[in-house]
Amino acid sequence: MAPSDRPKARQSQLVTTYGVGSLFPAGDQSLMICGIDSWDERFSPEIEEPRLARSLGVRTFRSPSSGRKIGDVPVVRFPEYHYCPECRRLDPFWKFDPRKMKCNDCDRDITPSRFVACCEDGHIEDFPYFNWVHRGAEGAPGGRHQLKLTTRGASSSLADIVISCTCGVKSYDLDGSFSYSALRQIKSCGGKRPWLPDAQPDQCTKPLRVLQRGSSNVWFGAVRSAISIPPWSSPDARFVNKYWTVLKQFPEESLEVALPAFAASEPGVSIEGVADLIRRRHTFDDAEPPTEVDLRNDEYFALRDGSVTRGDDTFTCREVEVSPRLSGVVAQVSAVDRLREVRALHGFTRVTASATATATPRMAKLSSRLTDWLPATEVLGEGIFIRLDERVVHQWESTGLASHRRGLLADSLELRAREAGIDAMPAPTARFLALHTLAHAVLKELSLDAGYPTGALRERVYAEEGQAGFLVYTASSDAAGSLGGLAALSSPEPLARAIEGALARAAWCSNDPVCSESVPSGSDGLNLAACHACMLLPETSCESKNIYLDRALLIGDLEEGGGLADALLA
């Protein structure tokens, strides 16, 4: 493929949307991103974030290669099965003309298959066309087996797509192929991992599910992120991270003597600060790795306590005045004038999303061998931190509405797990559901005045016991991430107007009463009263993949109320 014809993607997409193991649509082609052990590390710059790296068990992170003629992120063709739109021949692409990707007989461009088969452990393979059409046959009848894919033309349904074979067995359409048990008696999972070309297949007993190759549940990336907070956000920390392989060898008693000469080429670095951070880093590396909850707790306290830092720190957070209209409801508002976030991909799932960013046995690996790094992107921006009054939230949590709505979601999770034959995920707390929904509503309202499109904003919820806050921040990896328009809205009057407007808009949806009265729906039944007309955000904006939302927890029962909005505006 000529350099000018190579498909292109943004660096951030190669971590969040088109990460390792995902299918990348490149015009009329379909490609799969290869594992990181196939990447050329020379063209992948390092990104340092010690807290996040330690939690994920790696030394560092690397960003995907950026636009070089060599060192591009490697891909393989997948699915392998293609068909000719002229003669309707269906075969793996290498049986056609693999160099030109054309049919040898018709000289027409071949088209990749629309269907793939996945299991919940992350394996993926081509739809088993041969097995599908030869089911029930005594072995495979003799003679030449040439598959053909034809359409009846009556509609675009699966029932109009027919698979046949030249051996003369009965032709079958694809009607019913997307049901849970469609392939149980036809083919079991082969444990294939095409994103790791040199790896052997896994042993797998999970059933295969048929999906369209462009479907969103073919790939769910497991992305864990962390905001750089003091002292790890300072220039001293960046110096320590950059030279850590050397600095960690310095004896502690000689730090003050050796550091001045070593740091002479780095203006603005504090020798005392560097020495303190080296000691902290040793202690940090010797301790237990922080969990996702630990990382979030540290961020919450940093946002709550604010920072008095040097001008070149990547974390600047200052508490601002709260409008009297929000007094007794909002305990704190902080303008985060500057922040840095690192997002790292550490695995992925298929068919169903993982409940958390924590590694699980069913999460597919990014490489066939152990590596000391993971792919990541660095995001610079600004934001607003809002902390609600803990007493108000705690009192609301004990209401019947809160426990009832959470119970509906828990029941949906149990039912879904039984149908899929997997362990049920724990339902999030009513506090998280309400804060997550409120964050969506406020983010939408802020985007109207902040100067950023909704897709450039992102939410981060802090809902552990004793925490009742959320951060709305810019999610852009370029200069547009720090224009100042969002942090400026933390002023008392604009923010009060935004919160009141968000709650007022949440009270009504154009799909009501269907939306407000809906039972578990949406992605795998993981939402309650939430739809695209009211609460769902662009993919880049929600850290929870637009699940675990319930507008009814904000607005309450249509007749009796009882929502969090009632408590906030009482």
Side-chain angles (χ1 to χ4, degrees), residues 318-335 384-389 489-497 499-500 568:
R318 54 186 173 86
E319 188 171 348
V320 298
E321 184 182 352
V322 179
S323 169
R325 303 212 304 271
L326 300 177
S327 178
V329 174
V330 175
Q332 177 187 352
V333 175
S334 293
I384 301 175
F385 174 66
I386 301 170
R387 181 168 64 87
L388 303 184
D389 190 302
L489 293 180
S490 62
S491 299
E493 183 57 29
L495 187 64
R497 193 166 57 242
I499 292 178
E500 290 170 348
L568 295 178

Side-chain angles (χ1 to χ4, degrees), residues 444 509-511 515 522 527 530-539 546:
K444 281 192 168 189
C509 171
S510 59
N511 286 329
C515 177
N527 281 332
C531 69
H532 284 284
C534 57
M535 285 298 148
L536 300 190
L537 291 174
E539 180 183 340
N546 269 331

Side-chain angles (χ1 to χ4, degrees), residues 314-396:
T314 58
F315 182 87
T316 304
C317 179
R318 54 186 173 86
E319 188 171 348
V320 298
E321 184 182 352
V322 179
S323 169
R325 303 212 304 271
L326 300 177
S327 178
V329 174
V330 175
Q332 177 187 352
V333 175
S334 293
V336 186
D337 297 301
R338 190 180 303 162
L339 62 81
R340 171 182 178 265
E341 181 194 24
V342 175
R343 302 176 192 162
L345 176 70
H346 64 97
F348 62 88
T349 60
R350 304 194 194 275
V351 184
T352 56
S354 176
T356 67
T358 305
T360 61
R362 58 178 285 254
M363 193 172 289
K365 296 180 179 179
L366 304 184
S367 61
S368 55
R369 58 179 175 82
L370 192 63
T371 61
D372 65 351
W373 63 277
L374 290 171
T377 58
E378 181 181 48
V379 178
L380 302 176
E382 53 163 335
I384 301 175
F385 174 66
I386 301 170
R387 181 168 64 87
L388 303 184
D389 190 302
E390 171 63 26
R391 292 172 298 176
V392 173
V393 176
H394 181 72
Q395 183 177 1
W396 171 83

Side-chain angles (χ1 to χ4, degrees), residues 245-305:
T245 54
V246 176
L247 292 174
K248 68 181 180 180
Q249 308 296 334
F250 283 20
E252 183 173 346
E253 59 274 10
S254 65
L255 283 177
E256 276 74 8
V257 177
L259 282 176
F262 190 79
S265 61
E266 299 282 343
V269 171
S270 164
I271 300 303
E272 295 79 9
V274 168
D276 179 61
L277 278 163
I278 291 174
R279 297 186 184 100
R280 284 175 178 261
R281 184 72 182 266
H282 279 299
T283 303
F284 180 72
D285 287 351
D286 291 339
E288 284 292 318
T291 63
E292 172 77 358
V293 173
D294 294 333
L295 294 178
R296 287 302 179 95
N297 287 342
D298 291 344
E299 291 174 15
Y300 175 80
F301 294 128
L303 291 164
R304 185 197 65 180
D305 299 339

Side-chain angles (χ1 to χ4, degrees), residues 151-219:
T151 55
R152 296 191 176 108
S155 69
S156 58
S157 69
L158 292 173
D160 274 351
I161 301 175
V162 180
I163 310 299
S164 59
C165 182
T166 55
C167 70
V169 297
K170 178 183 176 182
S171 300
Y172 284 96
D173 59 44
L174 295 183
D175 189 31
S177 59
F178 277 58
S179 66
Y180 272 102
S181 58
L183 298 183
R184 285 185 183 271
Q185 304 301 320
I186 294 176
K187 189 181 187 305
S188 59
C189 178
K192 294 184 178 179
R193 299 178 290 171
W195 67 95
L196 304 175
D198 299 327
Q200 294 298 315
D202 285 332
Q203 294 293 325
C204 184
T205 59
K206 294 292 178 69
L208 285 171
R209 280 287 309 278
V210 179
L211 303 172
Q212 292 206 54
R213 59 179 165 87
S215 175
S216 61
N217 56 345
V218 168
W219 187 87

Side-chain angles (χ1 to χ4, degrees), residues 83-89 96 103 106 108-111 149:
Y83 68 92
C84 172
E86 181 72 25
C87 65
R88 313 304 295 184
R89 173 185 164 194
F96 293 97
C103 177
C106 308
R108 288 283 302 273
D109 292 337
I110 55 176
T111 302
L149 183 151

